[in-house]
Amino acid sequence: MQRVLVTGAGTGLGKAIAIELGKQGFNVTLNYRSSEKGALEALETIKQNGGTGSLLKFDITHRDEVNEILTKDIEDNGFYYGLVLNAGMTADAAFPMMTAEDWDGVVHTNLDGFYNVVKPCIMPLIAAHAGGRIIAISSVSGIMGNRGQVNYSASKAGLIGAVKALALEVAKRNITVNAIAPGLIDTSMAELDETVKKEILKMIPLKRMGKAQDVADLTAFLMSDKASYITRQVISVNGGLL
């Protein structure tokens, strides 16, 4: 059974993605930092659906800790066929009011987290000679930018660049690397002021927010054999916003 790792699997998109991958027959490792309750709920759902999985606690911003935990996990349980880089954060503010902490926190979490998680996993994946899947959860903000999110947009655009470059490096190993760019999805990350939300909805041709399951379904497809010829792509799930 192929092992996959989902970061930030205790809430929102990560939780939905982990559950869906479990349904599709993957052995899912659910990473969490503080949302243990949500991660346990997701794992229980996976098991109720006949799937298998486990929990792995670490903070994606702590490089040495991530390297140590993932290296030991891979030594004990084998390589990860698939990685879903979902964990992230926001700290929205108009740029003149954006603090150094707002900038550093978002950029280091969203962009450095990609390096910190992928680095200890990539050589065992290559050495396995079994192909593989790497999927980064970016954002429509990383493609078109968004007011009040200069930090978030920069970090998510950086993820897209990382995906496109890494895809070139590992393509000959039959490892695909893609990004998913969600738009306005109904999760805790989209808890917007109602006035702001109404303005955004006016810009969405489908006139509604997306669901976490919409992103989970696409992730499961990209993780599957059916997506073996799709790599170096950024696929939006945004109701026509972009």
Side-chain angles (χ1 to χ4, degrees):
M1 186 179 294
Q2 292 168 325
R3 299 182 74 218
V4 298
L5 170 67
V6 180
T7 65
T11 61
L13 293 182
K15 188 174 182 179
I17 289 167
I19 291 170
E20 184 60 34
L21 290 175
K23 288 181 182 178
Q24 300 303 319
F26 293 99
N27 182 344
V28 185
T29 298
L30 299 89
N31 156 256
Y32 68 96
R33 177 179 63 89
S34 57
S35 301
E36 182 177 20
K37 181 175 182 291
L40 283 168
E41 291 171 352
L43 179 58
E44 182 59 27
T45 300
I46 289 170
K47 291 180 177 179
Q48 288 175 356
N49 291 329
T52 59
S54 60
L55 302 184
L56 199 60
K57 181 180 180 180
F58 59 79
D59 185 331
I60 65 169
T61 67
H62 295 170
R63 182 168 297 161
D64 291 342
E65 173 193 331
V66 175
N67 182 70
E68 180 180 347
I69 290 173
L70 284 177
T71 297
K72 184 178 188 307
D73 177 67
I74 291 169
E75 288 174 352
D76 292 345
N77 302 297
F79 73 99
Y80 284 108
Y81 172 81
L83 303 174
V84 181
L85 293 311
N86 165 75
M89 67 169 288
T90 59
D92 296 352
F95 189 73
M97 305 302 158
M98 186 173 290
T99 66
E101 289 75 18
D102 291 338
W103 177 271
D104 290 345
V106 170
V107 171
H108 288 312
T109 299
N110 297 350
L111 192 50
D112 292 0
F114 177 91
Y115 176 88
N116 295 346
V117 173
V118 175
K119 188 61 164 59
C121 296
I122 193 69
M123 282 310 300
L125 175 58
I126 290 171
H129 299 290
R133 302 283 187 268
I134 298 173
I135 302 166
I137 305 300
S138 180
S139 169
V140 67
S141 294
I143 301 173
M144 62 183 285
N146 196 23
R147 286 184 177 182
Q149 291 191 322
V150 175
N151 51 358
Y152 187 72
S153 296
S155 68
K156 292 299 188 177
L159 271 182
I160 290 171
V163 160
K164 287 183 173 290
L166 183 59
L168 291 174
E169 293 188 11
V170 299
K172 63 183 178 182
R173 307 290 186 176
N174 200 30
I175 299 168
T176 67
V177 189
N178 293 289
I180 296 175
L184 188 62
I185 306 296
D186 190 9
T187 69
S188 60
M189 288 279 280
E191 290 177 352
L192 304 171
D193 176 84
E194 283 303 315
T195 302
V196 174
K197 189 179 294 186
K198 286 179 182 178
E199 289 302 311
I200 296 175
L201 287 172
K202 289 178 183 178
M203 301 166 59
I204 301 174
L206 286 181
K207 302 300 179 188
R208 63 175 176 85
M209 299 175 71
K211 299 176 181 178
Q213 189 62 42
D214 295 325
V215 179
D217 288 339
L218 176 57
T219 306
F221 171 71
L222 289 175
M223 193 69 72
S224 74
D225 292 339
K226 294 179 181 180
S228 62
Y229 200 56
I230 300 173
T231 194
R232 208 181 176 213
Q233 301 304 304
V234 182
I235 305 175
S236 295
V237 183
N238 60 35
L241 176 62
L242 178 66

